[in-house]
Amino acid sequence: MSRAGAHGDWPGAPVGSWDVSLRRLPEATVARLPVYLRVLSEATEATISSDHLAAGAGVNAAQVRKDLSHLGSYGTRGVGYDVSYLVRQISRQLGLTDDRRVAIVGIGNLGHALARYGGFNARGFRVVAVFDVDPRTVGQRVGGLVVEPFERLAEVIEEKGVELALLTTPASAAQAAADALVEAGVNSILNFAPARVAAPAHVAVRQVDLGVELQILSYYGTQVSADGPGTDAASG
Amino acid sequence: MSRAGAHGDWPGAPVGSWDVSLRRLPEATVARLPVYLRVLSEATEATISSDHLAAGAGVNAAQVRKDLSHLGSYGTRGVGYDVSYLVRQISRQLGLTDDRRVAIVGIGNLGHALARYGGFNARGFRVVAVFDVDPRTVGQRVGGLVVEPFERLAEVIEEKGVELALLTTPASAAQAAADALVEAGVNSILNFAPARVAAPAHVAVRQVDLGVELQILSYYGTQVSADGPGTDAASG
DNA sequence: AATTGTGAAGGAGTTCACAGCC
DNA sequence: GGCTGTGAACTCCTTCACAATT
């Protein structure tokens, strides 16, 4: 979690002179922007209202307007938001370029599946390298790529311009792998191992622990009685 | 997200007479309990302090104490918490029994990997059924199970006592699959499809969208300069 | 008339700080 | 002396409600 006090705008900042495009966004807003992006990509009209966008994303309309207002005033009163323009603005804010290069470290069941998973390419992420320590796995072909040995990590990452890594090793190997990735210059790690990895402050680390997700789900599933959170028990 | 106002304790509830073991926990606390559970499972001493537990989970010690106080007063002042007792209490709260039966719907890359993924069994979840619509996939063996046709869903779920489902279909099929699962009596769904599914209030739905996770990560990865959230950009 | 953008109110979650207990 | 449990302060997030704009 760590909703860390990462908000660097000190109280008396020169408000007017601050370029809105460079300001940091509230964490909660950042977590919703990709969802808006998905709704927008499915939109059929050229323009969309906060009401519709909210319905598609499963949030309150005022929430949508406040979120979008953090990017600037891109809507038109009485009309709504221009879909394609909004897509561009959100993409820019999220640092989504056409081609963010991804490596996968640890080719077990999950790593193997993610390497073949089409969902990433569809969103502009391209898996360009896969690594494993096991000599039996190294050299095999997985999703069109040859599995490289862990020793070549730094070299290959440099060579292929990898920016993000998916960490799918066992928990026991996660920290060492993360260290190697950081050393090699990767600045974003999505950690699927059931263990928290430490990293220097300039590296973004996000954890997706499927066991934790299931256990949380289990809790809500047992609150079956009258008033569970039902439809949607938060996924931020 | 939807941090929905799901808190049903009305203001004037008879405070003293409320059984703490049945009270609903704050969402944020529920999200952290599985993490504590993991730290506890790795503990070497019989007893642990909030400081140590907090360090292992990556949160503030006061946070740990407040979270645990929601379960009741299970600590000993001057000493700490009894590890095995605490494990039992948290497990009970989360509704974790030894054997929660899980079905996987949609045996593409991800579904296939999850079916073979050992991490679930290790935590008391047992995958007992896998389904797909594709006649070429039906009948194949995946992780020791034969893929059943979608038409047999209700039957098999009833027969095997399935409680939770992992939804790994394409987005376009997710809602129909969710409806069938609800109809069949499943009360918890972990949705990996990049689409929001609707469900009645008594069914818990959680979404894990890997594309969204990557896009959020991408944002923090581009905030490389001085003060990114670094080490840990929230995984709620 | 419709819909945005936002100040203000309200809630939820976090952290502090310390009394209470072992 | 060490550590828990918790009121109180604080920060962040959400929702309301309405003026501003097309």
Side-chain angles (χ1 to χ4, degrees):
Chain A
M1 263 274 122
S2 119
R3 213 165 273 284
H7 288 261
D9 345 330
W10 74 107
V15 180
S17 69
W18 197 273
D19 181 355
V20 79
S21 73
L22 294 176
R23 285 217 47 226
R24 300 202 66 231
L25 302 169
E27 269 187 43
T29 296
V30 172
R32 278 185 299 265
L33 288 179
V35 179
Y36 298 157
L37 216 41
R38 191 174 68 214
V39 176
L40 290 170
S41 76
E42 291 159 2
T44 52
E45 309 280 322
T47 194
I48 193 170
S49 70
S50 58
D51 257 338
H52 284 29
L53 186 40
V59 303
N60 183 293
Q63 184 80 81
V64 168
R65 292 199 296 276
K66 186 140 289 189
D67 284 339
L68 297 183
S69 77
H70 286 121
L71 314 185
S73 294
Y74 296 141
T76 308
R77 290 166 197 239
V79 179
Y81 299 87
D82 181 88
V83 173
S84 63
Y85 186 62
L86 196 51
V87 166
R88 278 202 304 282
Q89 294 309 324
I90 295 178
S91 299
R92 187 169 58 78
Q93 271 291 340
L94 292 178
L96 302 174
T97 62
D98 279 350
D99 183 54
R100 304 259 303 159
R101 298 174 189 201
V102 178
I104 300 179
V105 181
I107 306 301
N109 287 319
L110 192 55
H112 202 280
L114 294 180
R116 301 165 52 96
Y117 182 56
F120 296 145
N121 296 46
R123 305 211 208 190
F125 295 94
R126 188 149 63 94
V127 178
V128 297
V130 296
F131 300 94
D132 204 287
V133 278
D134 188 338
R136 285 168 302 185
T137 307
V138 170
Q140 285 188 7
R141 262 184 179 280
V142 172
L145 295 166
V146 175
V147 178
E148 300 278 356
F150 191 71
E151 296 80 39
R152 299 227 314 136
L153 192 125
E155 188 185 342
V156 175
I157 278 179
E158 159 92 16
E159 187 181 305
K160 303 209 173 166
V162 169
E163 296 166 273
L164 293 86
L166 309 186
L167 199 49
T168 51
T169 63
S172 56
Q175 185 60 59
D179 292 344
L181 286 165
V182 169
E183 179 68 24
V186 163
N187 62 23
S188 308
I189 298 174
L190 192 55
N191 177 25
F192 290 84
R196 208 156 272 262
V197 301
H202 69 279
V203 177
V205 178
R206 261 184 93 72
Q207 186 150 16
V208 178
D209 186 323
L210 300 180
V212 164
E213 292 297 330
L214 261 185
Q215 292 180 340
I216 296 172
L217 180 65
S218 182
Y219 172 80
Y220 289 114
T222 57
Q223 304 294 101
V224 275
S225 25
D227 78 315
T231 286
D232 194 304
S235 57
Chain B
M1 256 279 123
S2 114
R3 213 164 272 286
H7 288 260
D9 339 332
W10 74 108
V15 180
S17 68
W18 197 274
D19 180 355
V20 80
S21 72
L22 294 177
R23 286 220 43 230
R24 301 202 65 230
L25 301 169
E27 268 187 45
T29 296
V30 173
R32 278 186 299 266
L33 288 180
V35 179
Y36 298 157
L37 215 40
R38 191 174 67 214
V39 176
L40 290 169
S41 75
E42 291 159 1
T44 53
E45 310 279 322
T47 196
I48 192 170
S49 69
S50 59
D51 259 339
H52 284 30
L53 187 41
V59 303
N60 183 293
Q63 183 80 80
V64 169
R65 293 198 296 276
K66 187 141 287 187
D67 283 340
L68 297 183
S69 77
H70 287 121
L71 314 186
S73 294
Y74 296 141
T76 309
R77 291 165 197 241
V79 180
Y81 300 87
D82 182 87
V83 172
S84 63
Y85 187 63
L86 195 51
V87 166
R88 278 202 304 283
Q89 294 310 324
I90 294 178
S91 299
R92 187 170 58 78
Q93 272 289 341
L94 293 178
L96 303 174
T97 63
D98 279 351
D99 184 53
R100 304 259 303 159
R101 296 172 191 203
V102 178
I104 300 179
V105 182
I107 306 301
N109 287 318
L110 193 55
H112 202 279
L114 294 179
R116 300 165 53 95
Y117 183 57
F120 295 144
N121 297 45
R123 307 211 205 186
F125 295 94
R126 189 148 62 93
V127 178
V128 297
V130 295
F131 300 93
D132 204 289
V133 278
D134 187 339
R136 285 168 302 185
T137 308
V138 170
Q140 286 187 7
R141 265 187 175 277
V142 173
L145 295 166
V146 175
V147 179
E148 300 279 355
F150 191 72
E151 296 79 40
R152 299 227 315 133
L153 191 126
E155 188 183 342
V156 175
I157 278 178
E158 159 90 16
E159 188 181 304
K160 303 209 171 167
V162 169
E163 297 166 272
L164 294 85
L166 309 186
L167 198 49
T168 51
T169 62
S172 56
Q175 186 61 58
D179 292 344
L181 286 164
V182 169
E183 178 69 23
V186 164
N187 62 23
S188 309
I189 297 174
L190 192 54
N191 176 23
F192 289 85
R196 209 156 273 262
V197 301
H202 69 277
V203 177
V205 178
R206 261 184 93 71
Q207 186 149 15
V208 177
D209 185 324
L210 300 180
V212 165
E213 292 297 331
L214 261 186
Q215 292 179 340
I216 296 173
L217 179 66
S218 181
Y219 172 79
Y220 288 115
T222 55
Q223 304 295 98
V224 275
S225 26
D227 78 315
T231 286
D232 194 307
S235 58

